[in-house]
């Protein structure tokens, strides 16, 4: 049964869930009204729709049965690539090879696996709900007509080779023709199309939106992809991120190396093309905003996966100050380029308030807020009398803003909420504080360490794949800067 304007909702009677076809997940029963508001369904139309929905049998997330693995995908629910554990009697499902390796280590005592493929199988996954109600189940996509034709062609060629109709030399010549310089074979273009297709179907749903955090995939496919089709460097940025996404999801296979190399090439194309055009004074603001957003995600990837060899040197480099500055630009543009940084958090609170239906705070913030509340007195105890009253006031302001951002970040289990809370903090702190960070001011570095531990780590915990492991690396960089100072060991007591 389809409901709502444009059939935005779909009721699946088999599983007794109400699916938002636009967001591509099921809506919890107690969050339907706020979800309709998110899609700008107001007053009379909303009341009539709620009345119709009230007649449906919708169960709580914990009561929804999961389909068997041989089932076709549930219509309206996004499909993600993942892994199934092959250990006898297990069958655990994960969305990344890294999490599957952690599962093998924690549940089966198998760390540093020499042959990952023998203990995990690539599968297609879906989940009815997100956030703290996420439960993956395996699905078997129905073969398309083109895949059936391709399979038939491969089978026919295999039979011909077995019958001796193709010699090994002929096959070798065919392979060489694909790779020959100047060849008219379309393989290179098809490779690019593969990354583009992967971005539109999978990667786009994993990235945070510059605008509405509740509509991320539509933002990337509806707003950014049209720009990429007009501007080569934007397309290069999308392809670089898509190749990275494939590399992380196929880390256990030899294909990962190819994806890494291609992501580095696409990244270089992005920044090389941007260097040539950045002096264009007539560059539209939305183009610069998009370029900066791509650069921010790629710089996060530099921290998370330094082995990928991404080239962001044409932008800002990969030091701590650089990524903070990049996130600061990102945060300042969340609402508009004309919005004062001090208003960002309020705007975020409004834009994210309708996304909390799948959210029960997954980890209490009281401990973190208490730690931030006590931080000024602890810093005074360890660091002694401050040299500058202005530095003290600016540092207190940064701590206060961090507390507000933490409250927002932990109000939802949605990655988009955590991401926008994280980038809002550097956008809201005073310019003088950024100067303190650049000058390796110890109080400023201590506050940044809390931002990393509380907000960057929060984004990681919400399964942000392109920041995976970045928080630990950033904290190590900050600790190394502090340890080199005279009071290093004492200062480390202030770290979270």
């Amino acid at each position: 049964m389809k409901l709502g304007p444009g059939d935005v909702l779909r009721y699946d009677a088999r599983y007794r869930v109400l699916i938002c076809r636009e967001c591509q997940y099921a809506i919890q029963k107690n969050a339907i009204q706020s979800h309709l508001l998110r899609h700008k369904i107001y007053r009379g139309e909303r009341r009539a729709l709620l009345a119709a929905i009230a007649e449906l049998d919708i169960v709580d997330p914990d009561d929804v049965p999961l389909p068997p693995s041989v089932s076709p995908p549930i219509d309206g629910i996004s499909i993600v690539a993942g892994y199934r554990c092959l250990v006898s009697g297990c069958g655990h499902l994960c969305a990344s090879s890294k999490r599957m390796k952690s599962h093998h280590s924690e549940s089966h005592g198998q760390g540093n696996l020499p042959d990952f493929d023998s203990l995990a199988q690539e599968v297609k996954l879906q989940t009815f709900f997100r956030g703290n109600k996420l439960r993956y189940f395996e699905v078997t996509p129905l073969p398309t007509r083109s895949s059936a034709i391709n399979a038939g062609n491969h089978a026919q060629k295999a039979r011909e080779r077995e019958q001796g109709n193709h010699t090994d030399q002929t096959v070798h010549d065919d392979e060489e023709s694909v790779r020959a310089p100047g060849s008219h074979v379309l393989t290179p273009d098809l490779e690019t199309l593969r990354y583009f297709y992967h971005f539109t179907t999978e990667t786009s749903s994993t990235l945070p939106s510059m605008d509405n955090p509740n509509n991320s995939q539509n933002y990337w496919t509806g707003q950014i992809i049209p720009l990429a089709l007009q501007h080569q460097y934007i397309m290069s940025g999308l392809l670089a991120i898509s190749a990275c996404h494939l590399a992380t999801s196929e880390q256990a296979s030899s294909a990962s190396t190819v994806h890494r190399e291609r992501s580095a090439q696409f990244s270089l194309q992005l920044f090389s093309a941007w260097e040539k055009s950045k002096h264009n004074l007539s560059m539209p603001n939305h183009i610069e905003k998009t370029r900066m957003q791509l650069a921010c995600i790629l710089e996060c990837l530099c921290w998370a996966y330094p082995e990928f060899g991404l080239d962001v040197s044409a932008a800002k480099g990969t030091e701590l100050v650089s990524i903070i500055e990049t996130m600061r630009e990102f945060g300042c543009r969340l609402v508009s380029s004309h919005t004062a940084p001090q208003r960002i958090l309020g705007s975020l609170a409004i834009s994210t308030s309708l996304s909390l239906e799948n959210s029960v705070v997954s980890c209490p913030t009281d401990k973190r807020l208490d730690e931030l509340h006590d931080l000024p007195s602890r810093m005074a105890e360890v660091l002694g009398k401050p040299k500058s009253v202005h530095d003290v006031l600016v540092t207190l302001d940064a701590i206060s803003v961090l507390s507000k951002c933490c409250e927002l970040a932990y109000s939802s289990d949605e990655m988009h909420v955590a991401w926008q809370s994280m980038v809002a903090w550097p956008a809201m702190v005073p310019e003088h504080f950024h100067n303190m960070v650049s000058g390796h001011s110890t109080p400023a570095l201590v506050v940044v360490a809390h931002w990393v531990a509380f907000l960057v780590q929060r984004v990681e915990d919400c399964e942000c794949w392109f920041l995976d492991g970045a928080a630990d690396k950033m904290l190590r960089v900050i600790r190394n800067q502090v340890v080199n100072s005279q009071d290093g060991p004492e200062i480390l007591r202030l770290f979270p």
Side-chain angles (χ1 to χ4, degrees):
M1 180 187 299
K2 296 179 181 178
L3 302 164
D7 295 334
V8 66
L9 302 178
R10 175 181 176 270
Y11 176 69
D12 194 316
R14 295 169 300 171
Y15 303 101
R16 294 183 291 172
V17 294
L18 186 66
I19 297 171
C20 176
R21 290 152 55 87
E22 187 170 322
C23 296
Q24 296 189 308
Y25 61 84
I27 313 168
Q28 292 190 41
K29 184 161 50 174
N30 61 357
I32 294 173
Q33 181 166 341
S34 62
H35 198 94
L36 297 182
L37 281 171
R38 173 193 304 181
H39 293 293
K40 297 181 172 56
I41 302 175
Y42 299 120
R43 296 184 180 178
E45 186 177 18
R46 186 176 74 251
R47 291 174 183 170
L49 189 52
L50 287 172
I53 293 172
E55 301 297 321
L56 303 175
D57 180 18
I58 300 175
V59 299
D60 293 328
D62 293 338
D63 297 327
V64 176
L66 297 184
S69 60
V70 294
S71 301
I74 305 298
D75 184 29
I77 300 291
S78 60
I79 303 174
V80 299
Y83 296 88
R84 171 168 32 89
C85 179
L86 295 179
V87 174
S88 178
C90 183
H92 180 73
L93 301 172
C94 295
S96 70
S97 59
K98 181 174 181 178
R99 294 187 180 276
M100 182 57 73
K101 290 176 182 177
S102 298
H103 164 73
H104 283 146
S105 176
E106 296 170 3
S107 301
H108 306 302
Q110 298 168 326
N112 300 319
L113 299 176
D115 187 8
F116 179 82
D117 292 338
S118 66
L119 294 174
Q121 179 178 344
E122 293 185 8
V123 294
K124 296 299 183 182
L125 304 175
Q126 287 185 309
T127 175
F128 284 113
F129 302 93
R130 297 181 180 178
N132 62 326
K133 297 299 181 182
L134 184 146
R135 284 193 301 161
Y136 285 120
F137 54 88
E138 183 181 347
V139 294
T140 304
L142 297 174
T144 62
R145 182 175 182 272
S146 60
S147 64
I149 292 174
N150 289 335
N153 290 339
H154 286 305
Q156 177 64 26
K157 290 180 179 179
R159 286 193 295 270
E160 290 174 350
R161 285 196 294 271
E162 290 175 1
Q163 295 168 2
N165 292 339
H166 286 293
T167 65
D168 291 341
Q169 181 61 45
T170 303
V171 174
H172 176 75
D173 291 342
D174 287 344
E175 293 174 347
E176 288 299 320
S177 68
V178 172
R179 295 190 293 267
S183 170
H184 294 290
V185 180
L186 295 178
T187 301
D189 289 337
L190 290 176
E191 180 191 39
T192 301
L193 286 174
R194 177 193 180 186
Y195 291 121
F196 184 68
Y197 176 76
H198 182 77
F199 183 89
T200 59
T201 57
E202 296 195 31
T203 307
S204 59
S205 64
T206 69
L207 302 178
S209 168
M210 179 72 81
D211 297 325
N212 186 350
N214 309 313
N215 217 0
S216 177
Q217 187 165 19
N218 284 346
Y219 167 78
W220 285 97
T221 56
Q223 298 184 38
I224 305 304
I225 285 181
L227 292 179
L229 295 174
Q230 301 174 37
H231 302 277
Q232 178 60 49
Y233 52 86
I234 295 179
M235 178 62 77
S236 297
L238 298 189
L239 296 176
I241 294 171
S242 178
C244 286
H245 191 212
L246 274 169
T248 60
S249 62
E250 299 179 6
Q251 281 184 336
S253 68
S254 58
S256 179
T257 302
V258 176
H259 298 322
R260 294 181 191 180
E261 293 173 353
R262 296 297 285 137
S263 67
Q265 293 170 4
F266 289 133
S267 175
L268 181 60
Q269 291 173 12
L270 166 66
F271 292 112
S272 297
W274 178 251
E275 281 295 300
K276 296 177 182 178
S277 60
K278 69 179 183 179
H279 300 296
N280 182 2
L281 299 179
S282 61
M283 180 67 65
N285 180 66
H286 68 285
I287 299 296
E288 159 60 10
K289 182 173 73 171
T290 301
R291 194 281 313 170
M292 179 275 302
Q293 186 173 17
L294 296 173
C296 182
I297 294 173
L298 287 170
E299 193 160 351
C300 289
L301 281 162
C302 286
W303 282 91
Y305 303 96
E307 67 275 13
F308 283 16
L310 297 177
D311 186 355
V312 298
S313 58
K316 298 176 183 299
T318 57
E319 274 89 22
L320 181 69
V321 171
S322 171
I323 195 168
I324 294 175
E325 181 61 25
T326 302
M327 290 185 179
R328 179 189 183 189
E329 293 179 7
F330 195 116
C332 285
R333 294 175 182 270
L334 278 174
V335 181
S336 77
S337 59
H338 305 292
T339 301
Q342 291 79 3
R343 296 175 55 193
I344 291 177
L345 195 62
S347 299
L348 283 181
I350 294 173
S351 67
T352 59
S353 62
L354 300 180
S355 72
L356 306 186
E357 71 272 2
N358 282 333
S359 308
V360 176
V361 177
S362 63
C363 189
T365 58
D366 292 348
K367 181 180 178 180
R368 292 173 178 82
L369 296 178
D370 288 344
E371 186 169 343
L372 290 173
H373 181 268
D374 296 338
L375 185 58
S377 60
R378 294 173 55 225
M379 291 172 67
E381 179 183 344
V382 173
L383 301 177
K385 185 177 180 180
K387 298 179 180 179
S388 168
V389 175
H390 186 45
D391 286 358
V392 173
L393 295 176
V394 167
T395 302
L396 292 174
D397 189 12
I399 295 173
S400 174
V401 172
L402 183 56
S403 297
K404 297 175 183 177
C405 289
C406 281
E407 288 187 63
L408 181 60
Y410 287 88
S411 66
S412 168
D413 283 330
E414 293 283 350
M415 185 268 284
H416 309 293
V417 178
W419 169 268
Q420 294 197 355
S421 305
M422 176 187 71
V423 299
W425 179 78
M428 296 172 64
V429 298
E431 178 70 29
H432 185 75
F433 183 84
H434 289 284
N435 295 334
M436 292 172 65
V437 176
S438 301
H440 303 292
S441 165
T442 298
L445 290 176
V446 170
V447 178
V448 171
H450 282 77
W451 169 69
V452 173
F454 292 170
L455 292 184
V456 178
Q457 185 62 56
R458 174 60 176 168
V459 177
E460 281 192 49
D461 293 341
C462 291
E463 301 200 12
C464 179
W465 65 274
F466 59 86
L467 262 180
D468 199 10
D472 285 342
K473 296 173 185 176
M474 294 169 73
L475 283 173
R476 283 199 297 269
V477 170
I478 300 173
R479 286 194 181 97
N480 289 338
Q481 292 182 5
V482 170
V483 167
N484 293 332
S485 65
Q486 183 177 0
D487 299 322
E490 287 295 313
I491 295 171
L492 289 179
R493 291 168 43 202
L494 299 172
F495 276 58

